[in-house]
Amino acid sequence: MKSTNSVFIATSMDGYIADKNGQIDWLHDLPNPENDDMGYHAFTEQIDALVMGRTTFETVCSFDIEWPYTKPVYVLSRTLKKIPEEYTGKVFLVNGSLKDVLAKIYNEGHYRLYIDGGATIQSFLQEDLIDELIITIIPVLLGGGTALFSDLNSPLQFKCIGSKHYLESVVQNHFKRNR
Amino acid sequence: MKSTNSVFIATSMDGYIADKNGQIDWLHDLPNPENDDMGYHAFTEQIDALVMGRTTFETVCSFDIEWPYTKPVYVLSRTLKKIPEEYTGKVFLVNGSLKDVLAKIYNEGHYRLYIDGGATIQSFLQEDLIDELIITIIPVLLGGGTALFSDLNSPLQFKCIGSKHYLESVVQNHFKRNR
């Protein structure tokens, strides 16, 4: 089965995923009276599992909310020894090279993966392992923060296959890797 | 008359206007059999004059082409003493604070300005003097280069008022400052 590694993430106009203070409240500053999820639910319906780094996992755990994922979550970490018991059956610790990690996940029957978290997305891009990026641009210039993208050894070509508008303010661009 | 400071520029997906080697050839890598100008001519029809920095001016001068602008070009520079004679009547040297420069340009009857060049755009943004940005995203991750955006003292809110697609690959997002 063909595998797909997808990114679904929001950035500022200047490409940040967190502001200078590490905060993400600016993501929710826009009036959203009908709680439009900007395609998030429809996207997650199309994936088999998530892959994220330890930082993203711990951030999600720190939110005072129910565990938000219905699909298996693979947490990439070299330092984490054990997933807390309450996440048994939902969260799985993986480590090793990304190719090995992916082979293991495919072997468990998950081919359409949601790759999440800045550092994890950057590692995948560095090995040209991302097939599509759906980037929601929150129309603010933050002027500093944590960048979504980082250095690459060589350029990667994509094509923009579509754009959607939300809340009369936000644009979401869908890029596919041109291989 | 209401003034408008507009930016019309292309960036990579990771927000660069030149690659790691200062080159911009990746801007023209996409097949473009009908020489679609992606709205450039229509945009320049709507402006009264251009404002650019010395670097951009000298870069344009270095191209082996006819002078490409039909509108007056104001070149911001503290170091340039004189505009070369061949540009007399087309190019005007300005310096001082941006507010003073704008006052002078408005006084000459030009209210709709095309602000061009990375450093100039950054200076205008730092003083919140940009009203709209039309950003054409060339769908490549360069992984390094000269960034369009830089540090800001405080965030600036915009809204995306429209998007256009070109060459089945490129997206152009139009942002207006939300004042």
Side-chain angles (χ1 to χ4, degrees):
Chain A
M1 191 169 167
K2 203 188 159 312
S3 63
T4 310
N5 295 331
S6 305
V7 169
F8 186 102
I9 202 160
T11 74
S12 65
M13 287 166 66
D14 39 3
Y16 297 110
I17 54 173
D19 71 14
K20 289 178 192 178
N21 305 312
Q23 299 301 307
I24 57 168
D25 48 327
W26 52 276
L27 288 172
H28 309 289
D29 269 357
L30 297 166
N32 191 352
E34 290 174 28
N35 281 313
D36 191 328
D37 77 349
M38 303 191 234
Y40 179 77
H41 181 75
F43 169 76
T44 57
E45 289 281 293
Q46 304 294 320
I47 59 141
D48 301 324
L50 290 93
V51 181
M52 60 176 63
R54 181 183 51 83
T55 313
T56 305
F57 170 60
E58 290 177 349
T59 304
V60 176
C61 293
S62 76
F63 295 149
D64 188 21
I65 53 168
E66 293 270 302
W67 182 243
Y69 305 112
T70 56
K71 310 283 171 91
V73 173
Y74 291 90
V75 174
L76 273 168
S77 176
R78 280 182 216 93
T79 54
L80 212 61
K81 295 290 167 240
K82 207 172 167 291
I83 294 292
E85 216 163 90
E86 61 196 290
Y87 302 108
T88 305
K90 298 175 185 161
V91 180
F92 307 90
L93 191 60
V94 283
N95 54 44
S97 75
L98 293 186
K99 297 234 160 92
D100 288 351
V101 163
L102 288 173
K104 176 190 156 68
I105 298 174
Y106 298 153
N107 197 39
E108 293 178 3
H110 307 305
Y111 296 94
R112 300 172 305 171
L113 305 181
Y114 175 7
I115 313 300
D116 202 22
T120 302
I121 294 167
Q122 291 176 7
S123 320
F124 272 71
L125 283 170
Q126 273 153 16
E127 298 189 33
D128 192 11
L129 292 170
I130 295 294
D131 301 297
E132 63 173 358
L133 295 134
I134 298 159
I135 301 178
T136 305
I137 305 178
I138 305 299
V140 58
L141 287 176
L142 291 176
T146 309
L148 170 58
F149 295 114
S150 65
D151 290 356
L152 293 175
N153 291 327
S154 50
L156 299 174
Q157 310 290 335
F158 288 77
K159 60 165 47 177
C160 182
I161 61 164
S163 299
K164 288 180 183 160
H165 285 250
Y166 294 102
L167 312 179
E168 295 175 23
S169 180
V170 167
V171 60
Q172 183 181 79
N173 296 315
H174 189 154
F175 297 97
K176 272 209 188 239
R177 180 79 171 94
N178 229 355
R179 296 194 196 269
Chain B
M1 189 169 170
K2 202 190 161 308
S3 63
T4 310
N5 295 332
S6 306
V7 169
F8 186 101
I9 202 159
T11 73
S12 65
M13 286 165 67
D14 39 1
Y16 297 109
I17 55 174
D19 71 14
K20 289 177 189 177
N21 306 311
Q23 300 301 306
I24 57 168
D25 48 328
W26 52 275
L27 287 173
H28 308 290
D29 270 357
L30 296 166
N32 190 353
E34 291 175 27
N35 281 313
D36 191 328
D37 77 349
M38 302 190 234
Y40 179 77
H41 181 76
F43 170 76
T44 58
E45 288 283 293
Q46 304 294 321
I47 59 142
D48 301 324
L50 290 91
V51 181
M52 61 177 64
R54 181 182 52 82
T55 313
T56 306
F57 171 59
E58 290 178 349
T59 304
V60 175
C61 293
S62 75
F63 295 149
D64 189 21
I65 53 167
E66 294 269 301
W67 182 243
Y69 306 111
T70 55
K71 309 286 171 88
V73 173
Y74 291 90
V75 174
L76 273 169
S77 177
R78 280 182 216 93
T79 54
L80 212 62
K81 294 290 168 240
K82 207 172 166 293
I83 294 293
E85 217 164 87
E86 62 195 289
Y87 302 109
T88 305
K90 298 175 186 161
V91 179
F92 308 90
L93 191 60
V94 283
N95 53 44
S97 75
L98 293 187
K99 296 234 161 92
D100 288 350
V101 163
L102 288 173
K104 175 188 158 67
I105 298 174
Y106 297 154
N107 197 40
E108 292 178 5
H110 307 304
Y111 296 95
R112 299 171 305 172
L113 305 180
Y114 175 7
I115 313 301
D116 203 20
T120 302
I121 294 167
Q122 291 176 7
S123 319
F124 272 71
L125 283 171
Q126 273 152 16
E127 298 189 33
D128 193 10
L129 292 169
I130 295 295
D131 301 297
E132 63 173 356
L133 295 134
I134 298 158
I135 302 178
T136 305
I137 305 179
I138 305 299
V140 59
L141 287 176
L142 292 175
T146 308
L148 170 57
F149 296 113
S150 64
D151 289 356
L152 294 174
N153 291 328
S154 50
L156 299 174
Q157 309 290 336
F158 287 78
K159 59 163 51 177
C160 183
I161 61 164
S163 299
K164 288 179 183 160
H165 285 251
Y166 294 102
L167 311 178
E168 294 176 20
S169 181
V170 167
V171 60
Q172 184 180 79
N173 296 315
H174 189 153
F175 297 97
K176 273 212 186 232
R177 179 82 171 93
N178 229 355
R179 294 188 198 274

